[in-house]
Amino acid sequence: MKKVILGLSALCMVAFTSCKEDAASKIKSENIAVAAERDANAGDFPVISFDKTEHDFGTIENGTPVETTFKYENTGNSMLVVSNIKSTCGCTVPSNWTKEVAPGETGEFTVKFNGKGNGNKVSKSVTMTTNTEKGKEIVKISAFVEKDPNAPVKAAPQTAKQTVNPLATPVAAPTKSSTQPGHEGHNHD
C-alpha cells in the first residue's frame, strides 16, 4: 500500500511540474504589459470638482422661473462620464449637461427652478449619476419664495361648538309670559 501511495505522489509531482512549465512558456510578454497597465488603472477614478455645490436664488416672486449653471471640472486621470442628472421634484429641471469630460476639461449643466410657495424658504437637491468613486454627486439650490399677493385668503375654520367660559356667571333665560287677557302668568312657548 505504501508503494502505491508513493508512486501516485511521484506521478502527481511530475504532472504538476510539467503543467507549470507548459503554462509559463505560453505567456506572451505584451500580454503581461497590458495586464499590468489595466491593473494599475483599475482604481483610477475620475474626480469631479465644482465651481459651487450650492446656489441660493435669494428672494423670488411666486411662480417666477429662475435658472443657474453649475460648472464642473474633471481633476482625475480618466474620462468622467455623467450618465444622468435628476432633481427631487418637477419644479426643478436640470438640462443640457456635458456627458463626457476628459481629464483637465470642464463641463456644465443648467438648473431651472419654478418656485411656488407661501412665503417660505425652499431647498432642492440635484443628483448627478457619474463614474466617480462615489457614483453620485449632489448639488443644491434654494430660494425664499414670496407669498402670492393674488392668492385667495383662506377664512379661519368655523367650529360647530361654541366655547363656554366656565368662570362666567350663568345668565338666566328670559321667561315668557302671556299678555293676553285671561292668560296672565302663564308661559307659552
Side-chain angles (χ1 to χ4, degrees):
M1 182 73 170
K2 285 183 183 182
K3 288 182 183 180
V4 174
I5 293 175
L6 187 58
L8 286 175
S9 297
L11 184 62
C12 287
M13 285 188 63
V14 170
F16 288 135
T17 306
S18 65
C19 288
K20 188 174 185 182
E21 290 173 353
D22 289 340
S25 66
K26 293 179 183 178
I27 296 176
K28 295 180 181 176
S29 60
E30 63 265 11
N31 290 345
I32 293 173
V34 170
E37 184 179 340
R38 180 198 64 220
D39 292 345
N41 293 332
D44 197 11
F45 292 100
V47 178
I48 190 167
S49 299
F50 292 95
D51 65 335
K52 60 185 175 184
T53 55
E54 294 185 21
H55 181 80
D56 188 350
F57 289 107
T59 301
I60 62 172
E61 289 184 34
N62 190 333
T64 302
V66 291
E67 68 179 57
T68 188
T69 301
F70 286 93
K71 295 181 181 183
Y72 48 95
E73 181 181 0
N74 180 358
T75 57
N77 295 321
S78 60
M79 180 69 75
L80 170 66
V81 178
V82 180
S83 57
N84 193 16
I85 301 179
K86 63 182 179 178
S87 67
T88 52
C89 79
C91 64
T92 307
V93 182
S95 62
N96 302 326
W97 71 86
T98 309
K99 295 183 178 8
E100 292 186 358
V101 181
E105 299 294 318
T106 60
E108 65 183 31
F109 66 95
T110 302
V111 176
K112 295 180 182 176
F113 175 64
N114 188 4
K116 296 201 183 272
N118 201 12
N120 55 347
K121 183 82 169 179
V122 177
S123 295
K124 303 292 177 187
S125 295
V126 177
T127 304
M128 301 173 69
T129 304
T130 65
N131 65 332
T132 59
E133 190 169 8
K134 291 193 298 185
K136 299 215 181 276
E137 304 292 332
I138 297 175
V139 295
K140 296 180 180 186
I141 61 167
S142 61
F144 182 85
V145 181
E146 291 181 333
K147 187 174 182 177
D148 184 358
N150 299 323
V153 177
K154 293 182 180 178
Q158 295 181 356
T159 58
K161 289 184 171 181
Q162 284 186 331
T163 49
V164 178
N165 183 351
L167 301 177
T169 308
V171 178
T175 56
K176 296 181 185 176
S177 60
S178 178
T179 55
Q180 292 183 355
H183 293 268
E184 294 83 22
H186 296 268
N187 293 332
H188 297 279
D189 288 335

